[in-house]
C-alpha cells in the first residue's frame, strides 16, 4: 500500500513537472510568435532611415549629416504620437486579456483619432519652423539648408504616419504582430523604389537629388497609413473600425493618456536629452557627426532583438494582467529576457569584432569609417544589459507602470548621459560621447530591474 502511495506521489510530481514544462513551452512559443514579427517590423521601420543614410552616405558627408539631424528632430516631434501609441498598446492588451474586444475596438478608434490630429499639428509646426529646428544643432550652412528642406518634405506625411504608428501599436496590443510586419514590408519596398526614382529621375519623374529620399519617405509612409485604415476597417483580432464613433470620447482618451502621457514624457526626456547629446557631437564637426550617424544606424540594427522581445513582454504582461494572471506575466518576462539577452549578446559580439565592416556598409569615406569603429565597440560590449533594459521597460509599460519608466529615463539621461558627455567629449571626442551613452544604458538597466523586482507594477490599474 505504501509503495503504491509513494508511486502515486512520484507520478503526480512527474506530471506536475511535465505540465510546468508544457506551460513554459507554451509561454516560450507565444513570446517567439510575438517577438519575431516585431523584430522584423522594427528592422523595416529602421530600414526607411537606413535607406536614406545609405543613399546620402554615398553623396556627401554634408548630406549624410543633414539627414541625420533631420531624422533626430523628426523622432523628437513624433514623441507625442508615440505617447498615444504606447497608451493604446497597454489598454488594448488589458481589454483583449479581459475578453472585451468591442471595448478594445473603441480604444483603438479613439487613439487613431488623437494620433492623426497630433500628426496634422506637427505637419503645420515643422513646415513653418524647420529651419529653427535644424538650427538648434548649429550646423554648417549647407547642412542647415538640406536638413530643413528634407524635414519639411517628410513632415507632409505626419497625419497618415500618426495613423500608421497608432494602428500598429493597437494591433500589437491585441497580439497581432504579423500585420504590422507585412505592412512595413510594403512600406519599405515602396520607399526604396520612390527614393531611387526621385533621386536619379526616370522618364517623366524629375531628378531632385538629395531630396529624393525625403519624397520617398513621405510617399511610402502616407501609403502605409492609408492601408492601415483599410486593414482596420476589415477587422483584425476581434477589433474593427466602425463608421460611427469618431467623435472624441473624453473618457476613453483619458484612459489612454493616463498611460500614454508618462510614456510620452519619458520619450520627451530621452529625445531632448538626445538632442543635447547630438548637439555636443555636432560640435565635433561634420565628419565626426557623419560617423556618429552611421554608427547609430548600425547600433540600431543590433537593438532589434531587444525591441522585439520588449514588444512581446508588453503585450503578454498586459494581456496576462487583464486575465488576472500575474504569475504568467512574470514567466513571460523571464522568457523574453532570456532569449533577448542571448540574441543581443551575439549581436554585440559582432559589433565588437566587425565594427569597421558595419560602418563600411553605409559609407565609403575612410575617415568616417575610422571614427565610428570604437564607438560601436563600446556599445557592443554592453548589449546584454541593453536587452535587460528594453525587456523590463516593456514589461512595465505593458502593466501601465509608465510613471516609473518616466522617472528612470529622466534620471539616467539628464543626470548621467548629458553631464558625462559634456565632460568627456572634449578630451575623448566621439568615443567620450558614446561612453556617456553606454553609462546611461547600464544605469537604466539597473534601475528598471530594481523597479520590476518590487512587483508593484502588477497592481497598477489601467
Amino acid at each position: 500500500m505504501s509503495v503504491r502511495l509513494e508511486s502515486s506521489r512520484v507520478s503526480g510530481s512527474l506530471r506536475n513537472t511535465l505540465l510546468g514544462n508544457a506551460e513554459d513551452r507554451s509561454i516560450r512559443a507565444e513570446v517567439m510568435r510575438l517577438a519575431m514579427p516585431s523584430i522584423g517590423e522594427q528592422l523595416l521601420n529602421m530600414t526607411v532611415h537606413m535607406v536614406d543614410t545609405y543613399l546620402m552616405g554615398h553623396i556627401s558627408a554634408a548630406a549624410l549629416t543633414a539627414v541625420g539631424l533631420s531624422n533626430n528632430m523628426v523622432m523628437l516631434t513624433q514623441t507625442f504620437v508615440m505617447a498615444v501609441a504606447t497608451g493604446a498598446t497597454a489598454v488594448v492588451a488589458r481589454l483583449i486579456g479581459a475578453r472585451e474586444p468591442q471595448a478594445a475596438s473603441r480604444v483603438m478608434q479613439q487613439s487613431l483619432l488623437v494620433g492623426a490630429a497630433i500628426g496634422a499639428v506637427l505637419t503645420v509646426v515643422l513646415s513653418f519652423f524647420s529651419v529653427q529646428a535644424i538650427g538648434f544643432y548649429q550646423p554648417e550652412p549647407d547642412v542647415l539648408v538640406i536638413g530643413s528642406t528634407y524635414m519639411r518634405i517628410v513632415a507632409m506625411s505626419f497625419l497618415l504616419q500618426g495613423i500608421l504608428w497608432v494602428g500598429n501599436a493597437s494591433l500589437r496590443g491585441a497580439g497581432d504582430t504579423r500585420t504590422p510586419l507585412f505592412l512595413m514590408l510594403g512600406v519599405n519596398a515602396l520607399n526604396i523604389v520612390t527614393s531611387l526614382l526621385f533621386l536619379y529621375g526616370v522618364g517623366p519623374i524629375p531628378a531632385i537629388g538629395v531630396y529624393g529620399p525625403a519624397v520617398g519617405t513621405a510617399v511610402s509612409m502616407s501609403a502605409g497609413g492609408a492601408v492601415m485604415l483599410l486593414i482596420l476597417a476589415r477587422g483584425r483580432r476581434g477589433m474593427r473600425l466602425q463608421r460611427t464613433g469618431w467623435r472624441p470620447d473624453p473618457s476613453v482618451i483619458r484612459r489612454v493618456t493616463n498611460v500614454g502621457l508618462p510614456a510620452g514624457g519619458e520619450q520627451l526626456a530621452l529625445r531632448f536629452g538626445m538632442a543635447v547629446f547630438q548637439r555636443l557631437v555636432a560640435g565635433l564637426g561634420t565628419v565626426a557627426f557623419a560617423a556618429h550617424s552611421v554608427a547609430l544606424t548600425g547600433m540600431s540594427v543590433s537593438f532589434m532583438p531587444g525591441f522585439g522581445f520588449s514588444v512581446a513582454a508588453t503585450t503578454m504582461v498586459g494581456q496576462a494582467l487583464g486575465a488576472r494572471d500575474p504569475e504568467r506575466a512574470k514567466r513571460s518576462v523571464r522568457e523574453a529576457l532570456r532569449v533577448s539577452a542571448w540574441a543581443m549578446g551575439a549581436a554585440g559580439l559582432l559589433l565588437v569584432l566587425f565594427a569597421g565592416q558595419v560602418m563600411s556598409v553605409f559609407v565609403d569615406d575612410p575617415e568616417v569609417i575610422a571614427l565610428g569603429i570604437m564607438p560601436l565597440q563600446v556599445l557592443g560590449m554592453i548589449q546584454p544589459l541593453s536587452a535587460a533594459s528594453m525587456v523590463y521597460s516593456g514589461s512595465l509599460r505593458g502593466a501601465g507602470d509608465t510613471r516609473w519608466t518616466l522617472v528612470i529615463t529622466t534620471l539616467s539621461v539628464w543626470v548621467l548621459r548629458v553631464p558625462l558627455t559634456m565632460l568627456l567629449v572634449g578630451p575623448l571626442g566621439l568615443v567620450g560621447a558614446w561612453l556617456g551613452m553606454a553609462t546611461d544604458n547600464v544605469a537604466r538597466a539597473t534601475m528598471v530591474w530594481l523597479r520590476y523586482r518590487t512587483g508593484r507594477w502588477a497592481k497598477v490599474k489601467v
Side-chain angles (χ1 to χ4, degrees):
M1 180 72 175
S2 63
V3 173
R4 230 178 327 199
L5 187 59
E6 186 63 28
S7 175
S8 176
R9 287 197 187 112
V10 171
S11 297
S13 176
L14 180 60
R15 187 165 54 251
N16 289 336
T17 301
L18 290 174
L19 286 173
N21 288 339
E23 185 172 354
D24 287 343
R25 287 196 297 271
S26 172
I27 291 174
R28 187 176 305 124
E30 182 69 3
V31 166
M32 297 301 292
R33 184 187 72 78
L34 292 170
M36 297 312 292
S38 296
I39 293 171
E41 179 201 348
Q42 184 64 9
L43 181 58
L44 291 169
N45 288 340
M46 288 302 306
T47 301
V48 174
H49 300 301
M50 287 167 60
V51 168
D52 294 354
T53 300
Y54 176 85
L55 293 174
M56 295 303 183
H58 291 80
I59 294 176
S60 69
L64 180 60
T65 299
V67 173
L69 293 176
S70 176
N71 285 337
N72 290 335
M73 194 57 69
V74 165
M75 286 189 286
L76 172 62
T77 57
Q78 287 186 335
T79 296
F80 303 100
V81 174
M82 294 309 175
V84 178
T86 300
T89 299
V91 178
V92 166
R94 282 286 182 105
L95 292 171
I96 292 296
R99 301 186 184 279
E100 299 180 36
Q102 289 186 337
S105 297
R106 180 73 174 160
V107 168
M108 174 186 69
Q109 193 158 338
Q110 288 290 303
S111 299
L112 288 172
L113 184 64
V114 176
I118 292 173
V121 171
L122 291 177
T123 293
V124 174
V125 170
L126 289 187
S127 294
F128 284 100
F129 298 105
S130 62
V131 173
Q132 291 85 344
I134 299 299
F136 169 81
Y137 297 104
Q138 298 181 335
E140 295 175 7
D142 54 343
V143 172
L144 177 63
V145 172
I146 296 172
S148 58
T149 305
Y150 186 98
M151 179 184 290
R152 278 196 298 271
I153 295 171
V154 173
M156 294 299 105
S157 65
F158 279 1
L159 187 153
L160 286 169
Q161 277 202 52
I163 291 172
L164 177 62
W165 301 136
V166 174
N168 280 344
S170 299
L171 289 174
R172 288 194 293 266
D176 180 4
T177 54
R178 289 170 62 87
T179 298
L181 168 64
F182 291 128
L183 181 54
M184 290 310 301
L185 185 62
V187 166
N188 273 271
L190 182 59
N191 177 58
I192 292 171
V193 171
T194 52
S195 293
L196 290 171
L197 287 177
F198 284 100
L199 178 63
Y200 299 112
V202 176
I205 298 176
I208 55 176
V210 294
Y211 304 118
V215 174
T217 298
V219 169
S220 60
M221 288 294 187
S222 297
V227 173
M228 174 59 74
L229 284 175
L230 294 175
I231 290 171
L232 296 178
R234 297 183 64 180
R236 282 290 191 280
R237 288 272 171 170
M239 298 193 306
R240 187 172 184 174
L241 291 180
Q242 303 297 321
R243 292 184 180 180
T244 59
W246 290 105
R247 180 176 296 179
D249 185 332
S251 64
V252 175
I253 293 173
R254 190 160 46 247
R255 187 174 184 182
V256 172
T257 54
N258 280 341
V259 177
L261 284 179
E266 175 195 352
Q267 288 302 308
L268 278 177
L270 178 62
R271 294 302 174 190
F272 273 121
M274 195 66 178
V276 174
F277 176 78
Q278 301 278 37
R279 182 171 178 175
L280 291 169
V281 175
L284 295 173
T286 298
V287 174
F289 193 87
H292 170 73
S293 297
V294 174
L296 276 179
T297 301
M299 183 195 72
S300 297
V301 176
S302 73
F303 275 17
M304 294 304 101
F307 173 83
F309 288 100
S310 173
V311 167
T314 297
T315 300
M316 294 184 70
V317 165
Q319 292 188 1
L321 294 180
R324 300 185 180 181
D325 189 355
E327 185 57 35
R328 182 176 177 85
K330 294 176 184 177
R331 295 172 77 172
S332 300
V333 173
R334 284 198 298 269
E335 188 61 35
L337 176 62
R338 186 181 68 82
V339 182
S340 178
W342 277 105
M344 285 188 65
L349 181 61
L350 291 176
L351 287 181
V352 171
L353 297 177
F354 303 106
Q357 289 84 340
V358 171
M359 292 289 297
S360 64
V361 170
F362 299 101
V363 65
D364 49 16
D365 186 322
E367 189 177 0
V368 172
I369 293 172
L371 280 175
I373 290 176
M374 192 171 291
L376 271 180
Q377 291 174 330
V378 168
L379 263 292
M381 288 186 285
I382 63 164
Q383 290 291 68
L385 287 173
S386 296
S389 175
M390 297 172 81
V391 170
Y392 284 130
S393 295
S395 65
L396 296 180
R397 294 187 192 103
D401 194 14
T402 50
R403 286 177 174 79
W404 270 99
T405 58
L406 165 61
V407 171
I408 289 167
T409 298
T410 302
L411 288 174
S412 67
V413 171
W414 288 98
V415 176
L416 288 173
R417 180 186 295 199
V418 172
L420 279 175
T421 301
M422 289 178 176
L423 182 66
L424 298 175
V425 74
L428 299 177
L430 187 58
V431 174
W434 280 59
L435 283 171
M437 182 161 58
T439 304
D440 163 23
N441 287 0
V442 172
R444 200 180 318 170
T446 303
M447 287 189 283
V448 291
W449 171 69
L450 289 172
R451 173 60 184 176
Y452 177 83
R453 281 193 64 191
T454 67
R456 294 172 186 167
W457 50 271
K459 301 175 183 177
V460 174
K461 292 184 178 181
V462 173

